Amino acid sequence: MDTSIAIAKLLLPEILVDYFKLTKHEVKNGELHFHFTELNTIPEEFKALKLNSKGFFPEATIQDFPIRGKKVFLHVIRRRWVEESSKKIITRDWQLVAKGTRITSEFAVFLKDISK
């Protein structure tokens, strides 16, 4: 495994490292911002269907664990596919964001545990 990918998997949600391309990263006002775009890889559960990539959903911004005392924001652009015969829109169900929040599920669990 590439060393930079192994390090990224330690610092960022693994799902982003595996299924998204890091398109940009920057430090703004003491905050870390990582921008990801979903790869054009058809989800396994839809491999039997004839899908065409048809653009993206609007960017979602999610707060993640701080790194070295800096707030971390993940800017995620998810892909959408259209099934050729039915014209139904197909997307992956990521479960990346905790329900009712704008933070990652892992970060929400961490915050819930430390508040006990």
Side-chain angles (χ1 to χ4, degrees):
M1 178 186 299
D2 181 348
T3 305
S4 60
I5 292 174
I7 291 170
K9 284 184 176 187
L10 292 173
L11 298 175
L12 298 167
E14 191 170 331
I15 201 166
L16 288 178
V17 179
D18 291 340
Y19 296 101
F20 289 76
K21 178 181 180 181
L22 177 63
T23 56
K24 179 178 166 185
H25 64 281
E26 60 189 339
V27 178
K28 288 192 312 191
N29 303 321
E31 299 171 342
L32 299 173
H33 293 263
F34 295 97
H35 298 261
F36 294 91
T37 301
E38 187 173 356
L39 298 171
N40 190 10
T41 307
I42 295 172
E44 283 297 320
E45 61 269 26
F46 299 111
K47 289 278 189 194
L49 301 176
K50 178 70 174 155
L51 301 180
N52 295 313
S53 178
K54 290 294 182 188
F56 300 91
F57 288 99
E59 178 182 285
T61 302
I62 308 159
Q63 187 171 358
D64 197 17
F65 286 97
I67 297 176
R68 312 253 337 140
K70 292 179 174 32
K71 289 183 180 179
V72 174
F73 293 93
L74 309 173
H75 303 270
V76 180
I77 298 176
R78 293 177 41 226
R79 186 174 295 275
R80 77 176 103 208
W81 292 273
V82 174
E83 201 277 316
E84 205 170 82
S85 61
S86 70
K87 304 298 183 210
K88 181 180 175 187
I89 293 179
I90 305 290
T91 63
R92 279 193 174 91
D93 181 16
W94 288 112
Q95 302 298 315
L96 184 62
V97 178
K99 284 199 184 306
T101 72
R102 299 301 291 164
I103 60 177
T104 61
S105 299
E106 294 167 334
F107 193 31
V109 169
F110 171 76
L111 291 174
K112 186 176 178 181
D113 284 349
I114 65 170
S115 69
K116 290 181 181 179

